[in-house]
mmCIF file of all heavy atoms in Angstrom:
data_model
loop_
_atom_site.group_PDB
_atom_site.id
_atom_site.type_symbol
_atom_site.label_atom_id
_atom_site.label_comp_id
_atom_site.label_asym_id
_atom_site.label_seq_id
_atom_site.Cartn_x
_atom_site.Cartn_y
_atom_site.Cartn_z
ATOM 1 N N THR B 10 200.179 2.151 -57.237
ATOM 2 C CA THR B 10 200.066 2.191 -58.697
ATOM 3 C C THR B 10 201.421 2.280 -59.380
ATOM 4 O O THR B 10 201.511 2.094 -60.591
ATOM 5 C CB THR B 10 199.238 3.419 -59.116
ATOM 6 O OG1 THR B 10 199.918 4.608 -58.679
ATOM 7 C CG2 THR B 10 197.852 3.390 -58.502
ATOM 8 N N GLY B 11 202.466 2.613 -58.657
ATOM 9 C CA GLY B 11 203.762 2.829 -59.287
ATOM 10 C C GLY B 11 203.947 4.253 -59.780
ATOM 11 O O GLY B 11 204.991 4.592 -60.320
ATOM 12 N N VAL B 12 202.931 5.099 -59.609
ATOM 13 C CA VAL B 12 203.030 6.518 -59.965
ATOM 14 C C VAL B 12 203.485 7.273 -58.708
ATOM 15 O O VAL B 12 202.893 7.116 -57.644
ATOM 16 C CB VAL B 12 201.672 7.079 -60.437
ATOM 17 C CG1 VAL B 12 201.810 8.539 -60.851
ATOM 18 C CG2 VAL B 12 201.123 6.241 -61.593
ATOM 19 N N THR B 13 204.533 8.050 -58.857
ATOM 20 C CA THR B 13 205.037 8.798 -57.703
ATOM 21 C C THR B 13 204.950 10.292 -57.982
ATOM 22 O O THR B 13 205.032 10.735 -59.147
ATOM 23 C CB THR B 13 206.488 8.415 -57.370
ATOM 24 O OG1 THR B 13 207.326 8.732 -58.489
ATOM 25 C CG2 THR B 13 206.599 6.933 -57.068
ATOM 26 N N GLN B 14 204.778 11.060 -56.904
ATOM 27 C CA GLN B 14 204.700 12.507 -57.018
ATOM 28 C C GLN B 14 205.526 13.147 -55.903
ATOM 29 O O GLN B 14 205.632 12.599 -54.812
ATOM 30 C CB GLN B 14 203.247 12.986 -56.898
ATOM 31 C CG GLN B 14 202.374 12.612 -58.082
ATOM 32 C CD GLN B 14 200.992 13.238 -57.995
ATOM 33 O OE1 GLN B 14 199.988 12.539 -57.854
ATOM 34 N NE2 GLN B 14 200.949 14.571 -58.082
ATOM 35 N N SER B 15 206.081 14.316 -56.221
ATOM 36 C CA SER B 15 206.798 15.075 -55.205
ATOM 37 C C SER B 15 206.596 16.566 -55.437
ATOM 38 O O SER B 15 206.391 16.999 -56.580
ATOM 39 C CB SER B 15 208.295 14.724 -55.254
ATOM 40 O OG SER B 15 208.849 15.112 -56.504
ATOM 41 N N PRO B 16 206.609 17.351 -54.360
ATOM 42 C CA PRO B 16 206.639 16.912 -52.970
ATOM 43 C C PRO B 16 205.258 16.432 -52.521
ATOM 44 O O PRO B 16 204.310 16.508 -53.281
ATOM 45 C CB PRO B 16 207.037 18.188 -52.241
ATOM 46 C CG PRO B 16 206.452 19.284 -53.060
ATOM 47 C CD PRO B 16 206.546 18.815 -54.490
ATOM 48 N N THR B 17 205.159 15.969 -51.285
ATOM 49 C CA THR B 17 203.883 15.524 -50.743
ATOM 50 C C THR B 17 203.016 16.709 -50.356
ATOM 51 O O THR B 17 201.810 16.726 -50.617
ATOM 52 C CB THR B 17 204.119 14.637 -49.508
ATOM 53 O OG1 THR B 17 204.987 13.582 -49.870
ATOM 54 C CG2 THR B 17 202.813 14.071 -49.001
ATOM 55 N N HIS B 18 203.647 17.663 -49.700
ATOM 56 C CA HIS B 18 202.950 18.871 -49.265
ATOM 57 C C HIS B 18 203.806 20.081 -49.621
ATOM 58 O O HIS B 18 205.044 19.983 -49.663
ATOM 59 C CB HIS B 18 202.732 18.874 -47.742
ATOM 60 C CG HIS B 18 201.826 17.799 -47.247
ATOM 61 N ND1 HIS B 18 202.285 16.553 -46.874
ATOM 62 C CD2 HIS B 18 200.481 17.772 -47.068
ATOM 63 C CE1 HIS B 18 201.259 15.807 -46.476
ATOM 64 N NE2 HIS B 18 200.168 16.523 -46.580
ATOM 65 N N LEU B 19 203.119 21.206 -49.814
ATOM 66 C CA LEU B 19 203.827 22.418 -50.192
ATOM 67 C C LEU B 19 203.017 23.617 -49.706
ATOM 68 O O LEU B 19 201.785 23.639 -49.879
ATOM 69 C CB LEU B 19 203.948 22.462 -51.709
ATOM 70 C CG LEU B 19 205.049 23.239 -52.391
ATOM 71 C CD1 LEU B 19 206.407 22.892 -51.824
ATOM 72 C CD2 LEU B 19 205.020 22.930 -53.885
ATOM 73 N N ILE B 20 203.698 24.577 -49.126
ATOM 74 C CA ILE B 20 203.026 25.817 -48.727
ATOM 75 C C ILE B 20 203.703 26.970 -49.449
ATOM 76 O O ILE B 20 204.931 27.119 -49.391
ATOM 77 C CB ILE B 20 203.080 26.037 -47.195
ATOM 78 C CG1 ILE B 20 202.373 24.886 -46.473
ATOM 79 C CG2 ILE B 20 202.433 27.373 -46.825
ATOM 80 C CD1 ILE B 20 202.486 24.948 -44.964
ATOM 81 N N LYS B 21 202.910 27.767 -50.137
ATOM 82 C CA LYS B 21 203.423 28.914 -50.881
ATOM 83 C C LYS B 21 202.586 30.144 -50.537
ATOM 84 O O LYS B 21 201.486 30.024 -49.969
ATOM 85 C CB LYS B 21 203.342 28.658 -52.392
ATOM 86 C CG LYS B 21 204.278 27.574 -52.901
ATOM 87 C CD LYS B 21 205.701 28.070 -52.938
ATOM 88 C CE LYS B 21 206.614 27.110 -53.640
ATOM 89 N NZ LYS B 21 208.002 27.629 -53.732
ATOM 90 N N THR B 22 203.091 31.308 -50.911
ATOM 91 C CA THR B 22 202.304 32.525 -50.731
ATOM 92 C C THR B 22 201.814 33.021 -52.083
ATOM 93 O O THR B 22 202.397 32.697 -53.141
ATOM 94 C CB THR B 22 203.113 33.622 -50.025
ATOM 95 O OG1 THR B 22 204.313 33.857 -50.772
ATOM 96 C CG2 THR B 22 203.465 33.213 -48.614
ATOM 97 N N ARG B 23 200.770 33.794 -52.035
ATOM 98 C CA ARG B 23 200.150 34.321 -53.244
ATOM 99 C C ARG B 23 201.181 35.053 -54.106
ATOM 100 O O ARG B 23 202.016 35.799 -53.581
ATOM 101 C CB ARG B 23 199.034 35.288 -52.837
ATOM 102 C CG ARG B 23 198.034 35.606 -53.909
ATOM 103 C CD ARG B 23 196.865 36.359 -53.345
ATOM 104 N NE ARG B 23 197.253 37.414 -52.410
ATOM 105 C CZ ARG B 23 196.406 38.181 -51.765
ATOM 106 N NH1 ARG B 23 195.113 38.005 -51.915
ATOM 107 N NH2 ARG B 23 196.828 39.118 -50.951
ATOM 108 N N GLY B 24 201.143 34.810 -55.419
ATOM 109 C CA GLY B 24 202.068 35.440 -56.344
ATOM 110 C C GLY B 24 203.301 34.623 -56.653
ATOM 111 O O GLY B 24 203.986 34.884 -57.656
ATOM 112 N N GLN B 25 203.600 33.647 -55.803
ATOM 113 C CA GLN B 25 204.774 32.801 -56.049
ATOM 114 C C GLN B 25 204.506 31.798 -57.175
ATOM 115 O O GLN B 25 203.398 31.688 -57.696
ATOM 116 C CB GLN B 25 205.161 32.054 -54.765
ATOM 117 C CG GLN B 25 205.844 32.925 -53.726
ATOM 118 C CD GLN B 25 206.387 32.096 -52.576
ATOM 119 O OE1 GLN B 25 205.687 31.241 -52.007
ATOM 120 N NE2 GLN B 25 207.641 32.347 -52.223
ATOM 121 N N GLN B 26 205.566 31.066 -57.530
ATOM 122 C CA GLN B 26 205.495 30.045 -58.565
ATOM 123 C C GLN B 26 205.807 28.697 -57.933
ATOM 124 O O GLN B 26 206.542 28.623 -56.935
ATOM 125 C CB GLN B 26 206.509 30.377 -59.661
ATOM 126 C CG GLN B 26 206.607 29.360 -60.789
ATOM 127 C CD GLN B 26 207.708 28.327 -60.570
ATOM 128 O OE1 GLN B 26 208.612 28.530 -59.766
ATOM 129 N NE2 GLN B 26 207.601 27.198 -61.255
ATOM 130 N N VAL B 27 205.253 27.624 -58.496
ATOM 131 C CA VAL B 27 205.489 26.299 -57.935
ATOM 132 C C VAL B 27 205.667 25.283 -59.065
ATOM 133 O O VAL B 27 205.089 25.433 -60.157
ATOM 134 C CB VAL B 27 204.309 25.879 -57.013
ATOM 135 C CG1 VAL B 27 203.040 25.628 -57.817
ATOM 136 C CG2 VAL B 27 204.675 24.658 -56.192
ATOM 137 N N THR B 28 206.498 24.279 -58.803
ATOM 138 C CA THR B 28 206.698 23.170 -59.745
ATOM 139 C C THR B 28 206.423 21.863 -59.015
ATOM 140 O O THR B 28 207.007 21.601 -57.967
ATOM 141 C CB THR B 28 208.124 23.147 -60.302
ATOM 142 O OG1 THR B 28 208.341 24.351 -61.045
ATOM 143 C CG2 THR B 28 208.324 21.949 -61.223
ATOM 144 N N LEU B 29 205.539 21.070 -59.573
ATOM 145 C CA LEU B 29 205.205 19.761 -59.027
ATOM 146 C C LEU B 29 205.699 18.693 -59.997
ATOM 147 O O LEU B 29 205.663 18.899 -61.214
ATOM 148 C CB LEU B 29 203.683 19.630 -58.832
ATOM 149 C CG LEU B 29 202.984 20.772 -58.093
ATOM 150 C CD1 LEU B 29 201.495 20.482 -57.956
ATOM 151 C CD2 LEU B 29 203.616 21.023 -56.749
ATOM 152 N N ARG B 30 206.117 17.552 -59.455
ATOM 153 C CA ARG B 30 206.731 16.514 -60.281
ATOM 154 C C ARG B 30 206.007 15.188 -60.183
ATOM 155 O O ARG B 30 205.422 14.868 -59.143
ATOM 156 C CB ARG B 30 208.199 16.361 -59.900
ATOM 157 C CG ARG B 30 209.017 17.606 -60.228
ATOM 158 C CD ARG B 30 210.472 17.498 -59.822
ATOM 159 N NE ARG B 30 211.208 18.680 -60.270
ATOM 160 C CZ ARG B 30 211.255 19.833 -59.618
ATOM 161 N NH1 ARG B 30 210.611 19.981 -58.475
ATOM 162 N NH2 ARG B 30 211.934 20.854 -60.101
ATOM 163 N N CYS B 31 206.093 14.428 -61.262
ATOM 164 C CA CYS B 31 205.397 13.159 -61.347
ATOM 165 C C CYS B 31 206.238 12.164 -62.152
ATOM 166 O O CYS B 31 206.753 12.506 -63.219
ATOM 167 C CB CYS B 31 204.053 13.364 -62.042
ATOM 168 S SG CYS B 31 203.177 11.849 -62.502
#
Side-chain angles (χ1 to χ4, degrees):
Chain B
T10 62
V12 182
T13 61
Q14 290 186 246
S15 63
T17 305
H18 295 90
L19 205 51
I20 299 175
K21 292 286 189 177
T22 56
R23 198 170 43 182
Q25 285 189 311
Q26 177 266 342
V27 69
T28 297
L29 310 181
R30 294 178 175 83
C31 169

